């Protein structure tokens, strides 16, 4: 069980470009969090700081009781697995199974555990049937699942998914949803960056909104998507259901399809 | 009607593959139409795009049966270079489209025109215009490899639009973009349509397809299973079995219908829901 604490964290690139300013947040062990915000808001920088790929210019990042400044990325990545935004930045094996197996094997796990984790992760990501396939023969969306499986197989306490919903079809989104549920049962913390607000409202209660390199809101979905100031500052589009509810003059708070359908049915029976 | 893209009984098999990825596909796209290809991943959408731009079979080889006719000329009668001028293709993955030979965005966008031998003065004017259109003027001096996924996706689109092809084939141009950036890309595509371009788009975001596209081609396991105007295809009960996302409003409307609420028509855009409900509402009619 590993908690994550970022305290007044800022990050600037060596040329002085600021990428993140004064971020403070904590993720409890087993918690599921979505990070949303425009391109360039600092989301990817924030998560790269969480797994030690970047070290803060100011402030501290604590992974459990480790300050990431005092540990190598290789060490931190045992606790915090990060799935890259671009799968092609990550994949380097000629077949899917070797790609997934590499992580747990490299961690020095017992062979039985490596086998079990590899099989489990491939199954959970819906890629078992592609075990022998070269990842580059697979569509982008499936390659993304190959990279997710590779990180899940490392069995880290904290998992970061950077835009897993990009390019996913309905079936892919269902696989992701199921995966989140399984990880929650296993008490893993999952931090997900996404632009898909429907996916966010379907699977997340805690939402972190970023804009202009800063945290704008850290709250539940209802409060975030019905807070005009937050939406404007972060240039977020609320989920389609919220927009429909507004067009139908329902009082604020409706986010899921089921809530909206219930509200319409209730109105009808008056 | 003038067909700009015409496929007749097209089947295609990649080399060393046993199965056809495209199975007996026939359709015709009129000049100036905006057609969206939808279907779940692995259904053959990208291969279909590659067929329209001649990469199948010119580049990928393999067995192509049937006829692909672009602007009244068989694809086999084109040189790949000629097709490149006629059909602009924006890659699904912006990380691979960037040429790698230019060190700033301005030159990257200009690269295609340079290769076509367009005079330098004209190149400058056209690149300026496109940078503005795609809203990436601020990136002009940046190295293409230092851009974020969303920024690269815009640069990729700009480098194709600047070539001014008659046909634009765009494969998931918004997968890395935030919702507002996505909307902007669709606005740019709309603008291209207003300029008379023929547009073929692969995309999963059904709410935006319903708002912007004219026609749908629905792919399923290599077959073209449905085609027609967006509204007609979505209203056809057969659509449901292909497990493709409906626009969110349509999904809600269909569930309401199942719960016994009559609809005057099937809404495909958010703002239509009230109308679809009110027209049939008890209060309105009784």
């Amino acid at each position: 069980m590993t908690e994550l604490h970022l305290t007044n964290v800022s990050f600037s690139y060596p040329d002085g470009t600021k990428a993140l300013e004064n971020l403070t947040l904590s993720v409890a062990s087993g918690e599921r969090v979505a990070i949303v915000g425009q391109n360039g808001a600092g989301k990817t920088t924030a998560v790269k700081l969480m797994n030690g790929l970047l070290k803060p210019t100011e402030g501290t990042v604590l992974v459990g009781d480790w300050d990431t400044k005092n540990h190598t990325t290789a060490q931190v990545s045992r606790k915090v697995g990060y799935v890259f935004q671009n799968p092609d930045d990550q994949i380097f094996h000629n077949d899917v199974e070797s790609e997934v197996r590499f992580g747990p094997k490299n961690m020095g796990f017992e062979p039985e555990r490596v086998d079990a984790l590899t099989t489990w992760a491939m199954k959970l990501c819906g890629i078992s049937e592609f075990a022998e396939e070269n990842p580059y023969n697979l569509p982008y969306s499936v390659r993304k699942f190959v990279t997710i499986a590779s990180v899940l197989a490392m069995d880290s306490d904290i998992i970061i998914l950077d835009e897993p919903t990009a390019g996913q079809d309905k079936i892919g989104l269902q696989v992701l949803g199921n995966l989140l549920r399984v990880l929650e049962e296993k008490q893993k913390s999952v931090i997900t960056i996404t632009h898909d607000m429907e996916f966010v409202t379907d699977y997340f209660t805690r939402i972190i909104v970023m804009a202009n390199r800063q945290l704008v809101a850290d709250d539940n979905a209802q409060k975030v998507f019905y807070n005009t100031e937050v939406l404007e500052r972060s240039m977020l589009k609320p989920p389609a259901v919220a927009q429909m509810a507004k067009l139908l003059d329902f009082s604020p708070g409706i986010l899921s399809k089921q809530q909206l359908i219930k509200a319409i049915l209730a109105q009808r029976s008056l | 009607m003038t067909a700009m893209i015409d496929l007749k009984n097209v089947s295609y098999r990649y080399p060393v593959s046993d199965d056809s990825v495209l199975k007996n596909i026939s359709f015709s796209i009129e000049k100036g139409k905006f057609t969206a290809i939808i279907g779940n991943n692995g259904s053959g959408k990208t291969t279909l795009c590659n067929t329209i731009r001649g990469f199948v079979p010119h580049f990928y080889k393999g067995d192509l049966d049937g006829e692909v006719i672009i602007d009244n000329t068989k694809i086999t009668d084109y040189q790949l270079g000629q097709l490149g001028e006629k059909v602009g293709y924006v890659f699904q993955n912006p990380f691979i489209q960037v040429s790698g030979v230019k060190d700033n965005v301005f030159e990257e966008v200009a690269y295609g025109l340079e290769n076509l031998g367009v005079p330098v003065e004209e190149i400058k004017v056209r690149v300026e215009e496109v940078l503005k259109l795609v809203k990436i003027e601020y990136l002009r001096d940046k190295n293409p490899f230092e851009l974020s996924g969303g920024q690269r996706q815009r640069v990729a689109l700009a480098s194709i639009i600047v070539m001014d092809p008659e046909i634009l084939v765009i494969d998931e141009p918004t997968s890395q973009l935030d919702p507002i950036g996505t909307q902007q890309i669709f606005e740019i595509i709309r603008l291209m349509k207003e300029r008379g371009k023929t547009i073929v788009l692969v995309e999963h975001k059904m709410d935006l397809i319903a708002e912007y596209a004219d026609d749908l081609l629905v792919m399923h396991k290599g077959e073209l299973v449905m085609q027609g105007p967006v509204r007609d295809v979505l209203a056809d009960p057969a659509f449901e079995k292909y497990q493709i996302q409906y626009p969110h409003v349509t999904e809600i409307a269909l569930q309401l219908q199942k719960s016994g609420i009559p609809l005057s028509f099937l809404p495909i855009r958010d703002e239509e829901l009230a109308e679809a409900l009110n027209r049939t509402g008890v209060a309105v009619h009784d």
Side-chain angles (χ1 to χ4, degrees), chain A residues 9 23 25 70 79 82 105 139 162 168 258 262:
Chain A
V9 172
L23 178 65
L25 67 90
N70 305 328
K79 296 181 184 244
Y82 172 58
K105 202 175 150 197
D162 199 344
Q168 296 299 347
Q258 287 322 315
K262 234 171 122 183

Side-chain angles (χ1 to χ4, degrees), chain B residues 44-77:
Chain B
K45 302 186 301 294
T46 296
T47 307
L48 190 55
C49 287
N50 277 327
T51 309
I52 297 169
R53 69 175 177 131
F55 261 48
V56 162
H58 278 291
F59 181 77
Y60 289 116
K61 310 299 177 197
D63 300 329
L64 182 74
D65 294 326
E67 271 186 358
V68 182
I69 298 162
I70 303 292
D71 199 9
N72 297 313
T73 305
K74 277 194 207 169
I75 208 156
T76 39
D77 294 340

Side-chain angles (χ1 to χ4, degrees), chain A residues 204-247:
Chain A
F204 295 84
T205 43
R206 180 176 171 196
I207 314 219
I208 288 171
V209 183
M210 295 189 63
N212 300 316
R213 305 177 294 279
Q214 290 170 347
L215 184 118
V216 172
D218 180 353
D219 216 326
N220 68 47
Q222 245 100 15
K223 289 207 175 122
V224 166
F225 289 125
Y226 279 97
N227 183 331
T228 323
E229 197 206 320
V230 166
L231 293 175
E232 273 172 19
R233 246 185 95 191
S234 57
M235 302 215 303
L236 276 185
K237 247 177 95 176
V241 168
Q243 297 177 58
M244 282 180 244
K246 204 176 163 189
L247 286 167

Side-chain angles (χ1 to χ4, degrees), chain B residues 7 9-14 17-27 37 42-52 56-57 63-66 68 219-224:
Chain B
L7 270 72
N9 307 106
V10 170
S11 295
Y12 175 71
R13 203 160 54 88
Y14 280 104
S17 169
D18 298 329
D19 299 323
S20 297
V21 267
L22 299 180
K23 295 168 189 160
N24 197 28
I25 289 179
S26 300
F27 64 85
I37 305 179
S43 59
K45 302 186 301 294
T46 296
T47 307
L48 190 55
C49 287
N50 277 327
T51 309
I52 297 169
V56 162
D63 300 329
L64 182 74
D65 294 326
V68 182
M219 294 292 294
H220 182 70
K221 296 183 174 165
E223 287 179 58
L224 178 61

